[in-house]
Amino acid sequence: MTIAGSLSEAGACGADPRCDISLTKIRDLIYKVAGIYLPEEKSSFVQEKALKRMGVRDLASLADYLDLLTIKPDRDAELRELLNEITDGDTCLFRSMAQADALRNSVLEELTQVKSHMMQRKLRVWCAGCSTGEEAYTLAMVLMDEMSAKYAGWRFDLMATDMNERALAVAQEGTYGEESLRKTPAYFRERYFQDAGVRMAVKPEVKACVSFSRLNLADESKMLFMKGMNIISCCNVLILFDAESKRRALQHFYSNLLPGGYLFLGESESLYGIANQFRLVHFPQITAYFKPSLSRLPAVKP
Amino acid sequence: MSMNVSEDVVNRIKNMETLPTMPTLLQPLLNCIRRPAEEVDMDEVVKLAEQDESIAAQCVRVANSPLFARSRAAANLREAVLSLGLRRVEDILLSICVSKLLPRERYVVDPMAFWRHSLGCALVARKLAEMIRFDDPEGVYLAGLLHDIGILVNAIAFPKEFEVALEEAVVQHLPLDTAEQTVLGFTHAESGAILAEMWRLPPHCYEAIRFHHDLSNAAAEGPLAHAALVSLADLFCRVRDMGYGYPEFLRVDFAEHPGWNLLLGRYAELERIDLVRFTFEVSDAVAEVSAVVNLIFPGASRMNGSNGESKRPN
């Protein structure tokens, strides 16, 4: 039973006769396999995507579709198709305001305090699986803005990587349509973008902060070179990885983070049962993963 | 944090002009709820609730709301129990009772946010209790519902100082108890505990009220499992949009939380909880909790937040 289950039994489907327990099971399966939580309020969205796939596979009921996802030989391929449908086309700038807020309100203060005794006042940030650049530029704008307002003398290096060359080319161009800007607060839109015809271009000073390069997160030897990170952001990339590749990528992330560093995933992603070396940290509306610094590890009793 | 509130403060609380009075229905209702379900007679609860017409009527209204989505509307309390079950009606009654502790116009805090937080905390704490197989989930529920009554005490007995503390908390994005400690010299946990003593609430409620922000200082006070569960639920609610109605700059590491560590040795199930998933489920509950609170406070204003302004977000 859900947390509010004692308040109401209406559940996710309400009185919709097409919907049944299968939909809940499909949401559960997606969480177990891909580590992505689809909240109850997104049930109709999941249903819509499942119905679309049922059309392609010529199935009449969600129960049959659940069978296809769980007991049929091509279940893995079908789940991938469904995940593609579910994650398709929902990238945009400032996609997670909660993540931006966690950086601004907690993480930067903590990281700059930890590193304040060092000569070099610089944070290293890696946007892993940056696709067409929205998340990387969001990070760059948030960091630029915070550092100029609150952390005088601090700088950052932001590396953004993806394995897809075409996506990287789009990222490097840095122009976006209204759809990509739909969640960008007016404050950032006014300060960090300029007109580029019907689209908006990321200002050159923001672009100058980000270095894009090609990297496959499954390439073990190249992963070894991404050392010394304070923040790694890898949003909605690992969900299509199988468990073993995911585990390996996360081990690299952990080694590449400096003690005290943070790994951010997508808002609805979870590492439960996949990687237990990280410490889970809650910020308002978002969770992140933390690599404890030596001073934060539990004290060993004499 | 001081363990003892000054005598002056205790006296001011005891002599409050409009001391929150314990709803007459609350104590007998608590007695029913704390007994095993099979021993509780439906007629007993119905008769009890019907002593207060307005509570009974409100309960029927909540039971008939779309939230509880039953095909046939209940005409009275008895029908509501038949269609929703005794446990659920008890929950509704309890929430209504507790919500009547104070007239709406006397709040300094947003009443919607306050009751959303209280009810949310009750539900989340009970769910956690069930997940770790704690033997008194209903007691935890009640403790969650009442854990912040000290906020009402502060709002009534110390309205000016409390307003300053709240303002400080809102502007600085601080936890409310931190700002109270600075401005008032004590927190809602301490003033709530004084009220809990006056009302002779059960010990587990007293502990949750007194120690939900202060578990590390409470080691010698008792088993404290209720307080620990409420204290964790309080944080889950505050990181998932069921806080005090203003944004706090929180960073919570449950593994380092004294409540977590207090329960860890005693309840092995705790370690097996998928905290990320649980957190998502807390978010899922927000809409339903808000809907119930809206029913209990019809017409009250909603909290809102907006990011559309072009000034630098703070």
Side-chain angles (χ1 to χ4, degrees):
Chain A
M1 198 193 277
T2 60
I3 290 170
S6 56
L7 292 175
S8 135
E9 275 178 351
C13 304
D16 189 338
R18 289 177 307 168
C19 173
D20 52 46
I21 190 78
S22 304
L23 196 57
T24 308
K25 288 190 175 162
I26 290 171
R27 283 170 51 217
D28 269 349
L29 181 72
I30 291 171
Y31 183 77
K32 278 199 194 101
V33 176
I36 181 163
Y37 186 81
L38 297 155
E40 273 173 20
E41 62 175 29
K42 274 203 168 178
S43 281
S44 58
F45 167 80
V46 179
Q47 185 172 3
E48 180 195 315
K49 300 300 179 188
L51 288 173
K52 190 170 164 191
R53 289 302 307 162
M54 283 160 60
V56 175
R57 302 299 298 257
D58 200 21
L59 295 171
S61 76
L62 276 169
D64 291 345
Y65 187 58
L66 180 64
D67 281 350
L68 179 60
L69 287 173
T70 48
I71 55 176
K72 295 287 158 63
D74 58 345
R75 56 184 184 258
D76 290 346
E78 181 53 38
L79 187 67
R80 214 149 293 242
E81 291 293 336
L82 179 63
L83 283 170
N84 273 327
E85 285 290 339
I86 283 169
T87 56
D88 182 40
D90 59 351
T91 182
C92 67
L93 286 123
F94 287 88
R95 180 176 174 178
S96 170
M97 206 60 213
Q99 185 188 324
D101 284 343
L103 285 173
R104 295 163 53 224
N105 301 335
S106 301
V107 172
L108 287 182
E109 193 179 336
E110 194 181 315
L111 290 175
T112 51
Q113 264 169 17
V114 170
K115 288 189 92 175
S116 60
H117 62 282
M118 295 186 189
M119 292 291 284
Q120 199 184 28
R121 304 200 147 198
K122 187 163 82 174
L123 297 182
R124 278 168 59 82
V125 183
W126 175 17
C127 179
C130 66
S131 184
T132 42
E134 291 86 343
E135 186 194 332
Y137 287 127
T138 303
L139 281 167
M141 288 177 216
V142 169
L143 291 168
M144 276 176 82
D145 201 64
E146 278 306 293
M147 285 190 174
S148 65
K150 290 194 338 215
Y151 305 101
W154 281 87
R155 293 182 299 125
F156 64 92
D157 276 345
L158 203 165
M159 277 139 282
T161 64
D162 202 274
M163 64 180 292
N164 184 328
E165 308 252 10
R166 274 189 307 181
L168 282 171
V170 175
Q172 266 154 339
E173 195 191 302
T175 65
Y176 297 97
E178 250 336 286
E179 181 64 12
S180 301
L181 282 146
R182 66 186 188 276
K183 287 190 175 173
T184 305
Y187 172 87
F188 286 97
R189 187 189 272 253
E190 285 165 16
R191 271 161 198 79
Y192 298 103
F193 288 89
Q194 58 195 30
D195 286 335
V198 289
R199 292 159 74 84
M200 298 289 277
V202 173
K203 279 191 176 172
E205 60 263 38
V206 180
K207 286 174 79 171
C209 290
V210 190
S211 64
F212 289 99
S213 60
R214 188 175 179 281
L215 181 124
N216 182 345
L217 297 180
D219 184 336
E220 304 260 342
S221 59
K222 285 200 173 158
M223 289 290 270
L224 293 173
F225 286 102
M226 303 299 286
K227 291 267 179 253
M229 296 295 164
N230 298 106
I231 298 168
I232 299 175
S233 178
C234 181
C235 296
N236 306 310
V237 175
L238 299 176
I239 48 182
L240 295 171
F241 282 38
D242 63 60
E244 191 41 44
S245 328
K246 202 185 276 192
R247 210 165 275 135
R248 273 204 295 270
L250 286 161
Q251 184 50 50
H252 282 295
F253 287 161
Y254 190 80
S255 321
N256 291 335
L257 273 178
L258 289 169
Y262 284 90
L263 168 67
F264 282 93
L265 301 178
E267 274 189 5
S268 50
E269 281 183 87
S270 164
L271 294 187
Y272 183 75
I274 295 286
N276 55 10
Q277 60 273 64
F278 291 96
R279 284 280 281 275
L280 178 69
V281 180
H282 284 71
F283 297 105
Q285 302 298 110
I286 195 165
T287 51
Y289 294 88
F290 176 66
K291 177 171 178 172
S293 54
L294 295 174
S295 62
R296 287 189 83 106
L297 288 171
V300 181
K301 284 189 183 146
Chain B
M1 188 182 290
S2 67
M3 289 298 289
N4 294 306
V5 184
S6 76
E7 216 166 296
D8 171 53
V9 170
V10 176
N11 287 333
R12 275 177 79 176
I13 291 171
K14 289 191 171 163
N15 297 324
M16 273 193 290
E17 272 177 35
T18 43
L19 180 74
T21 48
M22 184 151 162
T24 43
L25 196 54
L26 191 57
Q27 194 66 59
L29 196 60
L30 295 185
N31 294 338
C32 283
I33 288 169
R34 293 180 62 75
R35 278 168 19 214
E38 61 275 12
E39 283 177 24
V40 180
D41 181 10
M42 174 179 109
D43 288 330
E44 196 181 343
V45 176
V46 170
K47 266 190 202 131
L48 197 63
E50 279 173 346
Q51 289 169 15
D52 186 325
E53 273 178 37
S54 79
I55 286 181
Q58 201 171 5
C59 183
V60 173
R61 197 168 69 233
V62 173
N64 282 336
S65 69
L67 189 70
F68 292 91
R70 286 291 182 280
S71 50
R72 211 167 70 86
N76 54 40
L77 211 52
R78 184 173 303 271
E79 287 184 23
V81 176
L82 285 172
S83 96
L84 293 183
L86 191 55
R87 212 9 54 100
R88 196 150 300 154
V89 170
E90 283 173 345
D91 271 358
I92 299 173
L93 282 171
L94 200 58
S95 309
I96 295 171
C97 261
V98 173
S99 77
K100 288 199 182 299
L101 290 179
L102 196 66
R104 200 158 81 210
E105 61 274 17
R106 293 296 303 268
Y107 285 100
V108 179
V109 287
D110 180 312
M112 301 293 282
F114 179 82
W115 292 119
R116 235 165 49 142
H117 176 67
S118 298
L119 183 58
C121 190
L123 289 162
V124 171
R126 177 165 65 190
K127 183 70 187 183
L128 269 177
E130 287 165 358
M131 288 167 87
I132 65 166
R133 304 193 185 156
F134 180 62
D135 60 8
D136 184 23
E138 297 310 318
V140 172
Y141 180 85
L142 178 68
L145 207 52
L146 294 172
H147 77 286
D148 269 343
I149 52 170
I151 291 179
L152 306 184
V153 173
N154 290 354
I156 300 173
F158 311 93
K160 289 212 177 68
E161 298 98 315
F162 182 67
E163 205 168 349
V164 174
L166 186 62
E167 176 71 16
E168 180 83 2
V170 171
V171 171
Q172 311 264 2
H173 307 280
L174 293 171
L176 185 56
D177 59 301
T178 308
E180 285 173 330
Q181 188 64 43
T182 311
V183 177
L184 292 147
F186 60 89
T187 72
H188 61 269
E190 290 156 297
S191 53
I194 296 168
L195 187 65
E197 273 180 339
M198 291 168 69
W199 282 2
R200 296 177 209 287
L201 290 177
H204 75 274
C205 280
Y206 172 88
E207 287 175 359
I209 292 165
R210 174 63 188 86
F211 296 116
H212 69 277
H213 292 304
D214 198 17
L215 277 166
S216 47
N217 283 328
E221 297 278 336
L224 289 169
H226 294 81
L229 285 161
V230 168
S231 148
L232 295 171
D234 171 78
L235 282 170
F236 274 112
C237 288
R238 284 159 62 197
V239 293
R240 286 283 148 165
D241 215 16
M242 289 193 286
Y244 301 123
Y246 63 86
E248 289 179 79
F249 290 173
L250 286 171
R251 177 198 185 279
V252 181
D253 181 345
F254 282 102
E256 278 189 350
H257 190 273
W260 187 267
N261 290 308
L262 192 146
L263 295 168
L264 199 59
R266 294 187 233 163
Y267 301 93
E269 298 293 330
L270 193 64
E271 256 184 309
R272 286 192 273 278
I273 294 179
D274 176 352
L275 277 186
V276 181
R277 182 171 187 144
F278 187 71
T279 309
F280 290 135
E281 288 170 359
V282 172
S283 283
D284 280 349
V286 175
E288 284 179 57
V289 170
S290 302
V292 168
V293 171
N294 286 340
L295 282 166
I296 297 173
F297 289 98
S301 68
R302 280 166 180 275
M303 295 303 293
N304 54 30
S306 148
N307 256 317
E309 296 164 26
S310 98
K311 73 173 180 2
R312 187 168 184 278
N314 53 32

